[in-house]
Amino acid sequence: MTTTNAPGPGPGTAGPARPPVPAWAERVAHAIPLVVLPVGVWRLPIGFGHGMGGEPMPSAWFSDPYVVGLTVLSELLALLGFGLVRRWGEIVPRWVPRLGGRRVPPAAVTVPATLGGLALTAITVQWVYEATTSGRDAWPYAPGWDLLAMTVSGLMSLWGPLLLALTYAYHRRRRA
Protein backbone atom coordinates (compact mmCIF):
# COMPACT_ATOMS: atom_id res chain seq x y z
CA MET A 1 0.00 0.00 0.00
CA THR A 2 1.38 3.37 -0.95
CA THR A 3 0.63 6.43 1.09
CA THR A 4 1.01 10.17 0.92
CA ASN A 5 2.26 12.49 3.64
CA ALA A 6 0.27 12.30 6.83
CA PRO A 7 -1.73 15.36 7.79
CA GLY A 8 -0.65 14.93 11.42
CA PRO A 9 -0.42 17.71 13.95
CA GLY A 10 1.62 20.73 13.00
CA PRO A 11 4.04 22.71 15.11
CA GLY A 12 2.63 23.59 18.49
CA THR A 13 -0.32 21.23 18.14
CA ALA A 14 -0.61 18.49 20.71
CA GLY A 15 -1.85 15.03 19.86
CA PRO A 16 -0.74 11.82 18.29
CA ALA A 17 0.22 11.67 14.63
CA ARG A 18 -2.48 10.25 12.39
CA PRO A 19 -1.85 7.44 9.92
CA PRO A 20 -0.98 8.70 6.43
CA VAL A 21 -3.59 9.12 3.72
CA PRO A 22 -3.61 6.14 1.33
CA ALA A 23 -2.52 7.10 -2.19
CA TRP A 24 -5.75 5.72 -3.66
CA ALA A 25 -7.78 8.04 -1.40
CA GLU A 26 -5.73 11.02 -2.57
CA ARG A 27 -6.45 10.06 -6.19
CA VAL A 28 -10.17 9.62 -5.46
CA ALA A 29 -10.29 13.07 -3.84
CA HIS A 30 -8.83 14.52 -7.04
CA ALA A 31 -11.21 12.48 -9.23
CA ILE A 32 -14.44 13.62 -7.59
CA PRO A 33 -14.39 17.24 -8.86
CA LEU A 34 -13.38 15.94 -12.28
CA VAL A 35 -16.38 13.60 -12.56
CA VAL A 36 -18.73 16.43 -11.53
CA LEU A 37 -17.30 19.07 -13.88
CA PRO A 38 -18.62 17.69 -17.22
CA VAL A 39 -22.24 17.92 -16.05
CA GLY A 40 -21.69 21.56 -15.10
CA VAL A 41 -20.16 22.30 -18.48
CA TRP A 42 -23.12 20.51 -20.12
CA ARG A 43 -25.62 22.43 -17.98
CA LEU A 44 -24.33 25.95 -18.66
CA PRO A 45 -25.42 26.25 -22.33
CA ILE A 46 -28.86 24.87 -21.41
CA GLY A 47 -29.28 27.68 -18.89
CA PHE A 48 -28.45 30.26 -21.52
CA GLY A 49 -31.08 29.05 -23.98
CA HIS A 50 -29.27 26.37 -26.00
CA GLY A 51 -31.19 23.11 -25.99
CA MET A 52 -28.11 20.87 -26.35
CA GLY A 53 -30.10 18.57 -28.66
CA GLY A 54 -33.33 18.89 -26.68
CA GLU A 55 -35.94 21.48 -25.96
CA PRO A 56 -34.46 24.84 -24.87
CA MET A 57 -35.12 25.83 -21.28
CA PRO A 58 -37.99 28.36 -21.05
CA SER A 59 -36.67 31.88 -20.70
CA ALA A 60 -37.13 33.28 -17.20
CA TRP A 61 -35.32 35.84 -15.09
CA PHE A 62 -33.99 33.13 -12.79
CA SER A 63 -32.72 30.70 -15.46
CA ASP A 64 -29.19 32.05 -15.77
CA PRO A 65 -28.52 32.52 -12.03
CA TYR A 66 -30.11 29.14 -11.27
CA VAL A 67 -27.98 27.18 -13.73
CA VAL A 68 -24.75 29.02 -12.88
CA GLY A 69 -25.47 28.71 -9.15
CA LEU A 70 -26.26 25.00 -9.44
CA THR A 71 -23.07 24.40 -11.41
CA VAL A 72 -20.89 26.33 -8.96
CA LEU A 73 -22.58 24.73 -5.93
CA SER A 74 -22.11 21.23 -7.36
CA GLU A 75 -18.42 21.83 -7.96
CA LEU A 76 -17.89 23.41 -4.53
CA LEU A 77 -19.56 20.42 -2.87
CA ALA A 78 -17.37 18.08 -4.92
CA LEU A 79 -14.27 20.00 -3.77
CA LEU A 80 -15.26 19.37 -0.14
CA GLY A 81 -14.06 15.81 -0.68
CA PHE A 82 -10.55 17.15 -0.23
CA GLY A 83 -11.39 17.68 3.44
CA LEU A 84 -11.37 13.90 3.79
CA VAL A 85 -7.69 13.73 2.83
CA ARG A 86 -6.36 17.10 3.98
CA ARG A 87 -5.43 18.50 7.35
CA TRP A 88 -8.37 20.93 7.36
CA GLY A 89 -10.66 17.89 7.61
CA GLU A 90 -9.02 17.07 10.96
CA ILE A 91 -8.00 20.43 12.45
CA VAL A 92 -9.96 23.65 11.86
CA PRO A 93 -7.65 26.11 10.04
CA ARG A 94 -6.16 28.80 12.31
CA TRP A 95 -7.74 31.66 10.35
CA VAL A 96 -11.28 30.54 11.34
CA PRO A 97 -12.45 32.79 14.21
CA ARG A 98 -12.97 31.08 17.59
CA LEU A 99 -12.58 27.57 16.16
CA GLY A 100 -9.15 27.82 14.55
CA GLY A 101 -6.73 25.13 15.69
CA ARG A 102 -9.37 22.92 17.25
CA ARG A 103 -9.77 19.27 16.36
CA VAL A 104 -12.70 18.46 14.05
CA PRO A 105 -14.80 15.68 15.60
CA PRO A 106 -14.76 12.74 13.15
CA ALA A 107 -18.55 12.43 13.27
CA ALA A 108 -18.88 16.05 12.09
CA VAL A 109 -17.21 14.91 8.88
CA THR A 110 -18.27 11.29 8.45
CA VAL A 111 -22.00 11.77 9.09
CA PRO A 112 -22.63 14.46 6.42
CA ALA A 113 -20.21 12.80 3.98
CA THR A 114 -21.93 9.44 4.43
CA LEU A 115 -25.40 10.95 4.07
CA GLY A 116 -24.30 12.86 0.97
CA GLY A 117 -22.68 9.78 -0.53
CA LEU A 118 -25.78 7.67 0.15
CA ALA A 119 -28.07 10.35 -1.33
CA LEU A 120 -25.92 10.64 -4.46
CA THR A 121 -25.77 6.86 -4.78
CA ALA A 122 -29.58 6.63 -4.43
CA ILE A 123 -29.94 9.22 -7.20
CA THR A 124 -27.55 7.13 -9.31
CA VAL A 125 -29.58 3.96 -8.72
CA GLN A 126 -32.76 5.79 -9.71
CA TRP A 127 -31.02 7.24 -12.79
CA VAL A 128 -29.77 3.81 -13.91
CA TYR A 129 -33.20 2.28 -13.32
CA GLU A 130 -34.94 4.98 -15.36
CA ALA A 131 -32.34 4.82 -18.12
CA THR A 132 -32.63 1.04 -18.45
CA THR A 133 -36.42 0.73 -18.15
CA SER A 134 -37.44 3.78 -20.19
CA GLY A 135 -35.06 3.22 -23.08
CA ARG A 136 -34.72 6.16 -25.45
CA ASP A 137 -37.56 8.02 -23.70
CA ALA A 138 -35.24 8.64 -20.74
CA TRP A 139 -33.03 10.76 -22.99
CA PRO A 140 -35.09 13.46 -24.72
CA TYR A 141 -32.19 14.55 -26.90
CA ALA A 142 -31.44 14.33 -30.60
CA PRO A 143 -29.22 11.46 -31.77
CA GLY A 144 -25.61 12.12 -30.82
CA TRP A 145 -26.63 14.52 -28.09
CA ASP A 146 -28.17 11.65 -26.12
CA LEU A 147 -24.82 9.84 -26.09
CA LEU A 148 -23.12 12.98 -24.80
CA ALA A 149 -25.82 13.42 -22.12
CA MET A 150 -25.43 9.79 -21.00
CA THR A 151 -21.66 10.14 -20.84
CA VAL A 152 -21.59 13.27 -18.67
CA SER A 153 -24.42 11.96 -16.47
CA GLY A 154 -22.68 8.61 -16.18
CA LEU A 155 -19.51 10.28 -15.01
CA MET A 156 -21.36 12.24 -12.36
CA SER A 157 -23.03 9.04 -11.17
CA LEU A 158 -19.62 7.99 -9.84
CA TRP A 159 -19.67 10.83 -7.30
CA GLY A 160 -21.71 8.97 -4.65
CA PRO A 161 -19.72 5.72 -4.60
CA LEU A 162 -16.41 7.61 -4.74
CA LEU A 163 -17.48 9.81 -1.83
CA LEU A 164 -18.52 6.77 0.20
CA ALA A 165 -15.16 5.08 -0.42
CA LEU A 166 -13.32 8.26 0.55
CA THR A 167 -15.46 8.62 3.69
CA TYR A 168 -14.69 5.05 4.71
CA ALA A 169 -10.95 5.71 4.30
CA TYR A 170 -11.27 8.88 6.41
CA HIS A 171 -13.18 6.98 9.10
CA ARG A 172 -10.58 4.19 9.25
CA ARG A 173 -7.71 6.67 9.39
CA ARG A 174 -9.28 8.81 12.11
CA ARG A 175 -10.25 5.76 14.14
CA ALA A 176 -6.69 4.39 14.10
Side-chain angles (χ1 to χ4, degrees):
M1 174 175 95
T2 57
T3 57
T4 58
N5 292 336
T13 306
R18 295 276 173 219
V21 175
W24 70 265
E26 186 73 35
R27 288 191 295 272
V28 167
H30 282 85
I32 289 174
L34 296 177
V35 300
V36 174
L37 185 62
V39 172
V41 172
W42 166 268
R43 191 185 297 129
L44 287 173
I46 293 172
F48 291 100
H50 190 280
M52 299 295 283
E55 291 293 320
M57 190 168 155
S59 181
W61 66 268
F62 57 83
S63 295
D64 299 349
Y66 167 73
V67 171
V68 171
L70 184 61
T71 300
V72 170
L73 180 65
S74 298
E75 200 60 35
L76 288 174
L77 289 172
L79 289 168
L80 281 177
F82 281 112
L84 298 168
V85 296
R86 296 285 189 266
R87 179 174 159 81
W88 54 269
E90 296 180 12
I91 308 288
V92 179
R94 293 249 177 239
W95 56 265
V96 177
R98 296 188 183 172
L99 297 176
R102 291 187 184 174
R103 183 178 161 273
V104 176
V109 176
T110 56
V111 169
T114 300
L115 291 175
L118 288 173
L120 289 166
T121 302
I123 291 168
T124 296
V125 169
Q126 188 271 337
W127 175 79
V128 169
Y129 174 78
E130 288 294 323
T132 56
T133 58
S134 299
R136 301 229 2 115
D137 295 335
W139 301 100
Y141 301 105
W145 288 101
D146 58 350
L147 180 62
L148 183 59
M150 284 186 275
T151 302
V152 299
S153 298
L155 281 171
M156 188 164 172
S157 70
L158 297 173
W159 187 5
L162 289 174
L163 182 58
L164 287 173
L166 200 57
T167 304
Y168 180 69
Y170 176 88
H171 171 73
R172 285 187 50 126
R173 194 168 40 86
R174 289 295 304 266
R175 195 176 53 153

